[in-house]
Amino acid sequence: MHDRINRQPLANPVPLGSRLPGILQEDQFLMEWIRAFDDSIAPVYAVLDSLDSYVRPAYAPADFLDWLAGWVEVALDDAWSEEQRRSIVAGAAALHRRAGTPGGIREALRLAAGPDAEVEVEESGATAWSPTPGTPLPGSDEVRLAITVTVPTGDRAELERRFGRVAAAVAPAHLPVALVVVVAG
């Protein structure tokens, strides 16, 4: 048995009958007939008037977030809380700009791991200059990216899978990634 939802009919903010010439507005049958179109087009106006609420991650319906995530090329994980999912979708554009940088990698993993997590990113190389010739080069000779994520609780194997997927999406493709997940609790 279906529960019926009693909804109040939406009012068309721009009734079609008011746009007709005055002589046609005097025809009662025509005005009633046009009112049926008002009833059917009113939801369209309601959606268009609130479209901003659908495309802003903070206000979008929860089931709409996956669609928005597709817009910004982010794969959401079902294990993330709704608040995390909203934060990740909202910050996706900024993360895309910083993808591949240590700060961008750190921020992406922090969003994926939650606010109580600590993320450390260590890259092997860097670019630097020195006014003194013969200064040792920064970093190490081994090309690698070491990421350590410390979380308060969770299943380590599952967290490694999730964080590994995020790291692969934001780390430079030419660097081997060494991911270590530490469960503190």
Side-chain angles (χ1 to χ4, degrees), residues 100-102 105 121-128 136-146 172 174-176:
T101 67
I105 295 166
V121 177
E122 180 187 331
E123 62 175 330
S124 60
T127 302
L137 296 174
S140 69
D141 292 340
E142 179 188 355
V143 177
R144 67 177 176 76
L145 179 66
H174 69 281
L175 286 179

Side-chain angles (χ1 to χ4, degrees), residues 16-173:
L16 298 173
S18 66
R19 295 174 164 228
L20 292 175
I23 194 156
L24 294 177
Q25 289 183 20
E26 294 174 6
D27 185 337
Q28 195 65 23
F29 174 75
L30 179 63
M31 292 306 288
E32 289 297 320
W33 189 67
I34 293 282
R35 197 166 294 125
F37 289 107
D38 282 337
D39 291 344
S40 64
I41 203 166
V44 173
Y45 281 114
V47 168
L48 290 175
D49 285 347
S50 61
L51 190 59
D52 185 47
S53 298
Y54 283 91
V55 296
R56 285 188 183 223
Y59 305 121
D63 60 345
F64 205 70
L65 282 175
D66 288 328
W67 187 69
L68 283 178
W71 275 18
V72 291
E73 209 172 328
V74 171
L76 296 178
D77 195 314
D78 292 334
W80 292 332
S81 69
E82 184 178 322
E83 182 180 331
Q84 272 182 294
R85 295 161 63 92
R86 290 183 187 281
S87 294
I88 289 168
V89 172
L95 284 176
H96 285 311
R97 280 194 305 270
R98 298 178 61 201
T101 67
I105 295 166
R106 187 177 305 106
E107 182 64 17
L109 283 159
R110 191 195 61 73
L111 283 170
D116 298 331
E118 292 181 28
V119 179
E120 296 175 27
V121 177
E122 180 187 331
E123 62 175 330
S124 60
T127 302
W129 68 275
S130 172
T132 308
T135 302
L137 296 174
S140 69
D141 292 340
E142 179 188 355
V143 177
R144 67 177 176 76
L145 179 66
I147 303 171
T148 304
V149 181
T150 306
V151 293
T153 61
D155 175 25
R156 198 172 125 237
E158 174 64 21
L159 293 172
E160 283 177 351
R161 181 195 65 78
R162 286 183 20 217
F163 300 155
R165 188 173 53 86
V166 172
V170 296

